[in-house]
Amino acid sequence: AFSSGECPAPAISEVVCNPVDEDTDEYVELWFPGPGVFDIEGCRICDGDALDVVTQWSGGDLADPDASPGRFVPPGSHAVILDPEYAQGAQPWDFAPGTVVATVSNTTLGDGLAGTDPVLLYSAAGTGTSCVLSTYGTPLLSDDPLSCDDDGLDSIPFNPGEGLAVHRIVPSGPDSESNWVA
């Protein structure tokens, strides 16, 4: 069975916005609980500054044998949307076995992820508020993804520090301050 972005949907589970090498090592991790298989091809991610279409990995060889380029995320699995230039860098991340690896169709995630950027994951169906699958950083929701800036009502999004990730504590939990940690 395939899920097309309706129930169930993946959740943004981790964001690396301030890696040591910001040119190549940013990523957004998704957790898909299942059931079924989720096709991430054509989904979109946005940092409020730029909108990217998720595509299959085509950025070169990946050093981590656990990274599996693809578009179908099995139940109970992670997918990572890597910076398209990741293979050109040091490839510092160690992914869980079977992690599905995808990328975006231009040269960077968003407009270069920053600690002040919320992140939105949209289904392949579009970028209206009804197509939002998951968020990080409690963004303002708008049918214009470039207007989805931080709502300013809490302390997320935040910069976890250089080389660290912002991690969702309970993947199925809300996008709230108490559910994110560096």
Side-chain angles (χ1 to χ4, degrees), residues 85-147:
E85 299 168 321
Y86 182 74
Q88 297 169 23
Q91 299 193 39
W93 310 121
D94 183 20
F95 300 113
T99 297
V100 174
V101 175
T103 192
V104 295
S105 54
N106 61 15
T107 61
T108 187
L109 294 179
D111 188 32
L113 298 179
T116 56
D117 287 335
V119 179
L120 295 92
L121 173 69
Y122 294 93
S123 73
T127 58
T129 57
S130 64
C131 297
V132 174
L133 299 176
S134 184
T135 61
Y136 158 63
T138 58
L140 295 168
L141 294 182
S142 165
D143 283 333
D144 176 2
L146 301 182
S147 294

